[in-house]
Amino acid sequence: MCGFPTATDTVTPRQPRGQERVITANRQTSWAFADAYVAEDDALRWARERAREAGLRSVSPGTGAVLRLLAASVDAKAVAEIGTGCGVSGIHLLHGMRPDGVLTTVDPEPDHQQYARQAFRDAGFAANRARFIPGHALDVLPRLADAGYDLVFCDGDRLEYQDYLAESLRLLRPGGLVAFEGVFANGRTVDSGPQPTEVLRLRELVRTVRDSQELVSSLLPVGDGLLCAVKR
């Protein structure tokens, strides 16, 4: 279980390493407040609505705010995104990137990318700020340049996250960031009961990133869990 707490953990006044405190109403309220900290504009709301209509997951506002912060913290000029969706995460990333930065975004559904194009345009980004590549991520990523990216954001097939990690390490420059969305799997990652293959793969990913000598990592409790790591 890679050190995750579960619902059966007991809480003592002095917490053992790897053990979580009781989740109180106050903490839940604080998390809800943090998730709504960055107000979203009309373009983001439009993209969220298109995603809902298409049955797609979108990053939470709090996760989007972190993506902006991460992009800004590395002064990102080149970002690769796995999973365009309808453009919610892309807008947040573009807001954090340099004014001359380019987002390369990959998705197997061209129709979804058309919504993202519209959302980016409505958000005020020029057409040359984003490069849309339709296709399966593991077919597209090997064609991208080694050490050519400041940040890689992974929000695609959870079963392929380990493969995305390997590609990200190749794509990132030293000091670059990789982030994985949805690693909590709606709480199943920390649940001690039997879990599907997707959750087992997510646990393996978290262990791999945590134990890697190439990465400095943190698991952030925003949205459905954001696993972040800096390449040394």
Side-chain angles (χ1 to χ4, degrees):
M1 282 289 291
C2 64
F4 284 125
T6 68
T8 59
D9 286 335
T10 56
V11 179
T12 60
R14 184 172 182 178
Q15 293 166 217
R17 184 178 179 181
Q19 194 170 63
E20 180 58 278
R21 290 178 294 170
V22 172
I23 298 175
T24 66
N26 285 340
R27 292 183 70 198
Q28 290 174 330
T29 301
S30 297
W31 285 339
F33 178 80
D35 203 46
Y37 176 69
V38 173
E40 294 194 329
D41 57 19
D42 289 341
L44 276 164
R45 287 191 289 270
W46 183 88
R48 283 193 183 282
E49 184 58 31
R50 301 292 79 74
R52 278 193 292 270
E53 291 171 354
L56 300 177
R57 297 179 300 240
S58 294
V59 299
S60 73
T63 300
V66 173
L67 292 177
R68 292 190 191 203
L69 180 67
L70 294 177
S73 70
V74 294
D75 195 27
K77 184 174 182 180
V79 173
E81 177 185 46
I82 302 169
T84 309
C86 293
V88 174
S89 54
I91 290 175
H92 282 291
L93 288 165
L94 284 164
H95 275 304
M97 295 168 65
R98 290 169 45 165
D100 60 343
V102 175
L103 172 69
T104 298
T105 183
V106 181
D107 198 284
E109 297 293 339
D111 290 346
H112 298 161
Q113 291 188 321
Q114 288 303 317
Y115 286 128
R117 287 180 191 273
Q118 179 66 47
F120 291 177
R121 187 161 53 246
D122 292 347
F125 298 110
N128 64 0
R129 292 292 311 279
R131 177 171 63 145
F132 294 88
I133 304 180
H136 187 263
L138 295 181
D139 294 331
V140 174
L141 295 177
R143 306 202 301 263
L144 303 183
D146 292 4
Y149 293 84
D150 305 299
L151 190 156
V152 178
F153 174 56
C154 305
D155 190 16
D157 187 342
R158 308 292 193 256
L159 294 172
E160 297 179 345
Y161 269 15
Q162 283 279 10
D163 298 310
Y164 298 166
L165 175 61
E167 287 294 334
S168 297
L169 290 174
R170 180 184 61 80
L171 294 173
L172 286 171
R173 62 167 175 80
L177 277 159
V178 62
F180 295 87
E181 161 65 5
V183 295
F184 288 167
N186 295 317
R188 292 176 299 168
T189 303
V190 299
D191 194 321
S192 58
Q195 297 297 337
T197 301
E198 175 183 296
V199 174
L200 301 180
R201 295 278 180 86
L202 288 171
R203 290 175 180 172
E204 181 183 355
L205 172 75
V206 172
R207 282 193 296 266
T208 300
V209 171
R210 181 193 61 189
D211 297 340
S212 173
Q213 297 302 306
E214 294 184 76
L215 298 168
V216 178
S217 63
S218 181
L219 180 52
L220 305 182
V222 293
D224 195 24
L226 189 68
L227 178 62
C228 305
V230 176
K231 180 180 176 180
R232 292 183 185 273

Short mmCIF file of all heavy atoms in Angstrom, two decimals, residues 178-201:
data_model
loop_
_atom_site.label_atom_id
_atom_site.label_comp_id
_atom_site.label_asym_id
_atom_site.label_seq_id
_atom_site.Cartn_x
_atom_site.Cartn_y
_atom_site.Cartn_z
N VAL A 178 6.82 17.11 -13.77
CA VAL A 178 5.78 16.23 -14.27
C VAL A 178 4.67 16.17 -13.23
O VAL A 178 4.94 16.20 -12.02
CB VAL A 178 6.32 14.82 -14.58
CG1 VAL A 178 6.88 14.13 -13.33
CG2 VAL A 178 5.24 13.95 -15.23
N ALA A 179 3.41 16.14 -13.69
CA ALA A 179 2.27 16.08 -12.78
C ALA A 179 1.26 15.08 -13.31
O ALA A 179 0.98 15.03 -14.52
CB ALA A 179 1.63 17.46 -12.64
N PHE A 180 0.71 14.28 -12.39
CA PHE A 180 -0.29 13.27 -12.72
C PHE A 180 -1.58 13.58 -12.00
O PHE A 180 -1.61 13.71 -10.77
CB PHE A 180 0.19 11.87 -12.30
CG PHE A 180 1.41 11.38 -13.04
CD1 PHE A 180 2.68 11.69 -12.59
CD2 PHE A 180 1.27 10.62 -14.19
CE1 PHE A 180 3.80 11.25 -13.27
CE2 PHE A 180 2.38 10.17 -14.88
CZ PHE A 180 3.66 10.48 -14.42
N GLU A 181 -2.66 13.69 -12.76
CA GLU A 181 -3.98 13.99 -12.21
C GLU A 181 -4.72 12.70 -11.84
O GLU A 181 -4.58 11.66 -12.49
CB GLU A 181 -4.78 14.79 -13.25
CG GLU A 181 -6.27 14.83 -13.08
CD GLU A 181 -6.74 15.52 -11.81
OE1 GLU A 181 -5.93 16.07 -11.08
OE2 GLU A 181 -7.96 15.49 -11.57
N GLY A 182 -5.53 12.77 -10.78
CA GLY A 182 -6.45 11.70 -10.45
C GLY A 182 -5.86 10.52 -9.71
O GLY A 182 -6.45 9.43 -9.73
N VAL A 183 -4.74 10.71 -9.01
CA VAL A 183 -4.08 9.56 -8.38
C VAL A 183 -4.81 9.05 -7.13
O VAL A 183 -4.51 7.96 -6.65
CB VAL A 183 -2.61 9.86 -8.03
CG1 VAL A 183 -1.80 10.10 -9.29
CG2 VAL A 183 -2.51 11.05 -7.11
N PHE A 184 -5.78 9.80 -6.62
CA PHE A 184 -6.57 9.29 -5.50
C PHE A 184 -7.67 8.33 -5.96
O PHE A 184 -8.19 7.56 -5.15
CB PHE A 184 -7.21 10.44 -4.71
CG PHE A 184 -6.24 11.24 -3.88
CD1 PHE A 184 -6.63 12.46 -3.35
CD2 PHE A 184 -4.95 10.79 -3.63
CE1 PHE A 184 -5.75 13.23 -2.59
CE2 PHE A 184 -4.07 11.53 -2.86
CZ PHE A 184 -4.46 12.75 -2.34
N ALA A 185 -8.06 8.42 -7.24
CA ALA A 185 -9.09 7.54 -7.80
C ALA A 185 -10.35 7.54 -6.93
O ALA A 185 -10.87 6.48 -6.57
CB ALA A 185 -8.56 6.12 -7.98
N ASN A 186 -10.82 8.75 -6.60
CA ASN A 186 -12.02 8.88 -5.77
C ASN A 186 -11.91 8.14 -4.44
O ASN A 186 -12.88 7.56 -3.94
CB ASN A 186 -13.26 8.40 -6.54
CG ASN A 186 -13.57 9.27 -7.74
OD1 ASN A 186 -13.51 10.49 -7.66
ND2 ASN A 186 -13.88 8.64 -8.86
N GLY A 187 -10.71 8.14 -3.87
CA GLY A 187 -10.49 7.53 -2.56
C GLY A 187 -10.11 6.07 -2.60
O GLY A 187 -9.72 5.50 -1.58
N ARG A 188 -10.14 5.45 -3.76
CA ARG A 188 -9.86 4.02 -3.83
C ARG A 188 -8.38 3.71 -3.65
O ARG A 188 -8.02 2.62 -3.20
CB ARG A 188 -10.36 3.45 -5.16
CG ARG A 188 -11.87 3.44 -5.30
CD ARG A 188 -12.30 2.94 -6.67
NE ARG A 188 -11.77 3.80 -7.71
CZ ARG A 188 -11.77 3.48 -9.01
NH1 ARG A 188 -12.26 2.32 -9.41
NH2 ARG A 188 -11.29 4.32 -9.91
N THR A 189 -7.51 4.66 -3.99
CA THR A 189 -6.08 4.40 -3.87
C THR A 189 -5.68 4.14 -2.42
O THR A 189 -4.75 3.38 -2.15
CB THR A 189 -5.27 5.57 -4.45
OG1 THR A 189 -5.67 5.77 -5.81
CG2 THR A 189 -3.78 5.28 -4.42
N VAL A 190 -6.37 4.76 -1.47
CA VAL A 190 -6.03 4.57 -0.06
C VAL A 190 -6.96 3.59 0.63
O VAL A 190 -6.86 3.38 1.83
CB VAL A 190 -6.05 5.92 0.70
CG1 VAL A 190 -5.02 6.86 0.12
CG2 VAL A 190 -7.43 6.56 0.66
N ASP A 191 -7.86 2.97 -0.10
CA ASP A 191 -8.80 2.00 0.47
C ASP A 191 -8.13 0.64 0.54
O ASP A 191 -7.52 0.17 -0.43
CB ASP A 191 -10.05 1.93 -0.41
CG ASP A 191 -11.20 1.21 0.27
OD1 ASP A 191 -10.94 0.20 0.96
OD2 ASP A 191 -12.35 1.65 0.10
N SER A 192 -8.24 -0.03 1.69
CA SER A 192 -7.56 -1.29 1.89
C SER A 192 -8.27 -2.48 1.24
O SER A 192 -7.73 -3.58 1.19
CB SER A 192 -7.41 -1.58 3.39
OG SER A 192 -8.69 -1.61 4.02
N GLY A 193 -9.48 -2.27 0.73
CA GLY A 193 -10.23 -3.37 0.11
C GLY A 193 -9.70 -3.70 -1.28
O GLY A 193 -8.84 -3.02 -1.82
N PRO A 194 -10.21 -4.80 -1.86
CA PRO A 194 -9.81 -5.19 -3.22
C PRO A 194 -10.11 -4.06 -4.20
O PRO A 194 -11.15 -3.41 -4.12
CB PRO A 194 -10.67 -6.42 -3.51
CG PRO A 194 -11.07 -6.94 -2.16
CD PRO A 194 -11.20 -5.74 -1.28
N GLN A 195 -9.18 -3.83 -5.14
CA GLN A 195 -9.32 -2.72 -6.06
C GLN A 195 -9.04 -3.18 -7.49
O GLN A 195 -8.32 -4.14 -7.72
CB GLN A 195 -8.34 -1.59 -5.69
CG GLN A 195 -8.59 -0.97 -4.34
CD GLN A 195 -9.94 -0.29 -4.24
OE1 GLN A 195 -10.53 0.09 -5.25
NE2 GLN A 195 -10.46 -0.16 -3.01
N PRO A 196 -9.58 -2.45 -8.49
CA PRO A 196 -9.34 -2.81 -9.88
C PRO A 196 -7.90 -2.51 -10.31
O PRO A 196 -7.15 -1.84 -9.60
CB PRO A 196 -10.33 -1.93 -10.64
CG PRO A 196 -10.59 -0.77 -9.74
CD PRO A 196 -10.51 -1.31 -8.34
N THR A 197 -7.56 -3.00 -11.49
CA THR A 197 -6.19 -2.86 -12.00
C THR A 197 -5.76 -1.40 -12.07
O THR A 197 -4.61 -1.06 -11.78
CB THR A 197 -6.09 -3.50 -13.39
OG1 THR A 197 -6.45 -4.88 -13.30
CG2 THR A 197 -4.67 -3.38 -13.94
N GLU A 198 -6.68 -0.50 -12.46
CA GLU A 198 -6.33 0.92 -12.56
C GLU A 198 -5.78 1.45 -11.24
O GLU A 198 -4.78 2.17 -11.20
CB GLU A 198 -7.55 1.73 -12.98
CG GLU A 198 -7.32 3.23 -13.00
CD GLU A 198 -8.58 4.01 -13.34
OE1 GLU A 198 -9.08 3.85 -14.47
OE2 GLU A 198 -9.05 4.76 -12.47
N VAL A 199 -6.43 1.10 -10.14
CA VAL A 199 -6.00 1.58 -8.83
C VAL A 199 -4.66 0.95 -8.44
O VAL A 199 -3.78 1.63 -7.89
CB VAL A 199 -7.07 1.27 -7.77
CG1 VAL A 199 -6.57 1.63 -6.37
CG2 VAL A 199 -8.35 2.03 -8.08
N LEU A 200 -4.48 -0.32 -8.73
CA LEU A 200 -3.20 -0.97 -8.44
C LEU A 200 -2.07 -0.30 -9.22
O LEU A 200 -0.96 -0.13 -8.70
CB LEU A 200 -3.27 -2.46 -8.78
CG LEU A 200 -4.34 -3.27 -8.02
CD1 LEU A 200 -4.30 -4.72 -8.45
CD2 LEU A 200 -4.16 -3.14 -6.52
N ARG A 201 -2.35 0.09 -10.45
CA ARG A 201 -1.33 0.79 -11.25
C ARG A 201 -1.02 2.16 -10.67
O ARG A 201 0.13 2.61 -10.69
CB ARG A 201 -1.83 0.94 -12.69
CG ARG A 201 -2.00 -0.37 -13.44
CD ARG A 201 -0.69 -0.89 -14.02
NE ARG A 201 -0.89 -2.15 -14.72
CZ ARG A 201 -1.28 -2.26 -15.99
NH1 ARG A 201 -1.49 -1.18 -16.70
NH2 ARG A 201 -1.42 -3.45 -16.54
#
